[in-house]
């Protein structure tokens, strides 16, 4: 991790190998509360997310996959239509209809 000290209106430039792959992070303001306001300029092909939101989504995804109902649904999707009776995710109370 690179740690830098910047003042308002100062920038950090991240430049990739390809032309047009430059990301510019500008310090817009530094608040007394300790918050820092950043402006980010990047090509449209880059998706920018707040780290804590990504962590929250990952956690929710892990919880959903651990839920037996969701796990059965995922297994059924992997098997596709017409999965044999007794296959993982299949309802043991239902027979395959012909």
């Amino acid at each position: 991790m690179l740690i830098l000290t910047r003042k308002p209106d100062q920038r950090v430039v991240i430049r990739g190998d390809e032309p047009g792959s430059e990301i510019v992070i500008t310090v817009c303001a530094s608040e007394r509360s300790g918050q820092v306001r950043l402006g980010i300029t990047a090509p449209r092909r880059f998706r920018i997310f707040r780290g804590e939101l990504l962590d929250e989504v990952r956690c929710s995804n892990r919880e959903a996959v651990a839920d037996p109902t969701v796990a059965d649904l995922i297994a059924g999707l992997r098997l596709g239509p017409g999965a044999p009776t007794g296959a993982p995710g299949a309802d043991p109370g239902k027979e395959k209809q012909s």
Side-chain angles (χ1 to χ4, degrees):
M1 176 186 298
L2 174 63
I3 300 173
L4 301 171
T5 302
R6 304 275 73 202
K7 295 179 182 177
D9 296 323
Q10 291 184 329
R11 303 176 304 146
V12 174
V13 178
I14 302 168
R15 183 173 289 164
D17 293 335
E18 300 174 20
S21 62
E22 186 172 279
I23 299 171
V24 180
I25 302 170
T26 305
V27 178
C28 297
S30 177
E31 309 291 334
R32 290 181 189 255
S33 65
Q35 288 185 329
V36 177
R37 295 176 58 99
L38 300 174
I40 302 171
T41 304
R44 286 191 174 270
R45 69 179 181 271
F46 289 99
R47 298 186 309 166
I48 301 170
F49 301 98
R50 291 179 11 209
E52 65 275 9
L53 293 180
L54 282 178
D55 294 341
E56 192 173 309
V57 168
R58 286 183 188 122
C59 181
S60 294
N61 288 345
R62 283 189 202 106
E63 290 172 2
V65 171
D67 181 335
T69 306
V70 175
D72 287 346
L73 176 63
I74 291 170
L77 291 173
R78 287 186 185 139
L79 294 172
T85 304
D91 185 350
K94 291 186 180 179
E95 293 294 320
K96 184 177 177 183
Q97 296 179 3
S98 10

